Amino acid sequence: VILVNGRPAESVDVRDRGLAYGDGVFRTLRTRNAGPLWWRDHYAKLASDCAALLLPCPDEALLHDEVSRVSRADHGIVKIMLTRGPGARGYALPPLQPPTRVVFAAALPAYAEVGAPDDITARWCALRLGRQPRLAGIKHLNRLENVLARAEWDDPAIVEGLVCDEAGSVIGGVMSNLVIVRDSELYTPDLSECGVAGVARQRLLRAAESRGLTVHVEPLSPAAILAADEVMLCNSVMGLRRVAVLDGKHYVPAGWTAILKTVLNDDGD
Amino acid sequence: VILVNGRPAESVDVRDRGLAYGDGVFRTLRTRNAGPLWWRDHYAKLASDCAALLLPCPDEALLHDEVSRVSRADHGIVKIMLTRGPGARGYALPPLQPPTRVVFAAALPAYAEVGAPDDITARWCALRLGRQPRLAGIKHLNRLENVLARAEWDDPAIVEGLVCDEAGSVIGGVMSNLVIVRDSELYTPDLSECGVAGVARQRLLRAAESRGLTVHVEPLSPAAILAADEVMLCNSVMGLRRVAVLDGKHYVPAGWTAILKTVLNDDGD
């Protein structure tokens, strides 16, 4: 079932600004036992992304209820889209109105199924992300860069592609955030100019810091990725995965993925 | 009337990738006597934008027919949106399918009505456009930068805002292209890294060159805009307009707008 503004529906108004301009934000979250995981973090991120685009964020209880209504009984995914709603033609903001809410469930992709291997194969993408501090970090609906980067490969054995910005710094995966460990310290790219600052990354950094691990948020070069003791990718759908192969490079497991995976869920749901 | 894939409809599939990712392109064109103006240029641009996003472009006669069906009897606007159509969740391209076609008419905005004054008031926007050569020039559906820039003012007397890239070069208006004349030569910003290369700009440059006017396509500084003999903005909806006031600066008419306006239509419809 798909809910549009709380009611079962299959479609949205053709004048919706989400369609016209990508004027909105979204979340993809994991569900279990007919309810969302990591809900508090997801809602906080949704509210923060809405604020950045001057969008009013729906009430938390309302959204939680809609997510639960569409969730599968066992394991699954729910996607939430919030757009600025229908408007007249033209970029100018329409009068303030509640956003269009779209909430629907989807099956887990193969790489994120329960019991899927922790190890994944990744590659480098040729596309360079543009820098836009006003939109950086936000999970908004302008995702053509991700679409073009993901179109660079169709080998189903490759789960993820790594993308750099125009200066050559590594920003993360097409659909995930990047974390590496070197000499027992954690590093993750600075996302103040591009990329999406996901909830899994945020939980991981918070938990790692609270356990006394040193965390560096800074530009990372491709050479730093190659020299890492362990390279990991994370998002809310697949959790934390170890990169076992990156193009030609094979990484020997260093044990960090298993340690950090437990940490990711320690703050509760 | 709104046509979705050729049939009267008010909505699109909620799984459409145009909504999910802004995965598509659009055109806004002027119509007269129930038909499109500058059609050949608009269709060529649509086909070129589709190709850049690996989207199959619909047949020209089919689209022309749909535009004519929705056009008003006298003067108006028609918007065409083409998206990659419905797809499963995830950035990976779905199997090749015809794009979703949305075609609908709209009234002319006040500044573009027949007989509206040639002179307009503009301002500078604070937002800086990010650089992304893979998307530059294309009129795609990822338009959050335009939305944020347009949200910087709500004075209805100000028709347009000028936007720079992150290096400080002037790229154009939020919804229009910029052309200036200095010492009887035409200058327009290079759009290879950001901005939309519109049909009105293309027609104007082509016509100007064919008449022996020297045309420069190059980065332009804000100082060059202030020092210009005439500053003009153009798009397919309003044609060519003279910037009479830019924030505090008043420009004395130099006659170029009137000359170039006639040139814009000389290549026929």
Side-chain angles (χ1 to χ4, degrees), chain B residues 37-114:
Chain B
L37 296 183
W38 303 351
W39 174 251
R40 195 180 310 177
D41 289 322
H42 278 295
Y43 184 77
K45 173 66 174 155
L46 201 55
S48 148
D49 283 357
C50 280
L53 297 188
L54 312 170
L55 268 177
C57 189
D59 178 69
E60 177 172 357
L62 175 80
L63 268 182
H64 186 279
D65 175 62
E66 291 178 1
V67 169
S68 302
R69 277 166 67 195
V70 305
S71 292
R72 290 167 191 230
D74 48 355
H75 296 268
I77 287 173
V78 166
K79 181 165 176 176
I80 304 171
M81 283 189 278
L82 300 175
T83 81
R84 206 178 305 275
R89 206 196 52 77
Y91 295 125
L93 297 186
L96 199 63
Q97 59 186 343
T100 299
R101 305 189 306 280
V102 177
V103 180
F104 63 90
L108 286 169
Y111 58 80
E113 276 170 9
V114 179

Side-chain angles (χ1 to χ4, degrees), chain B residues 1 12 22 50 71 74 79 98 100 108 124 129 132 137 142 145 150 170 185 194 204 215 224-225 239-240 246 267:
Chain B
V1 64
V12 295
C50 280
S71 292
D74 48 355
K79 181 165 176 176
T100 299
L108 286 169
W124 290 102
L129 297 170
Q132 176 48 272
N142 278 197
E145 289 184 324
R150 183 61 186 80
V170 187
E185 300 192 349
C194 52
L204 190 65
V215 171
I225 309 304
L240 187 72
L246 176 59
D267 279 352

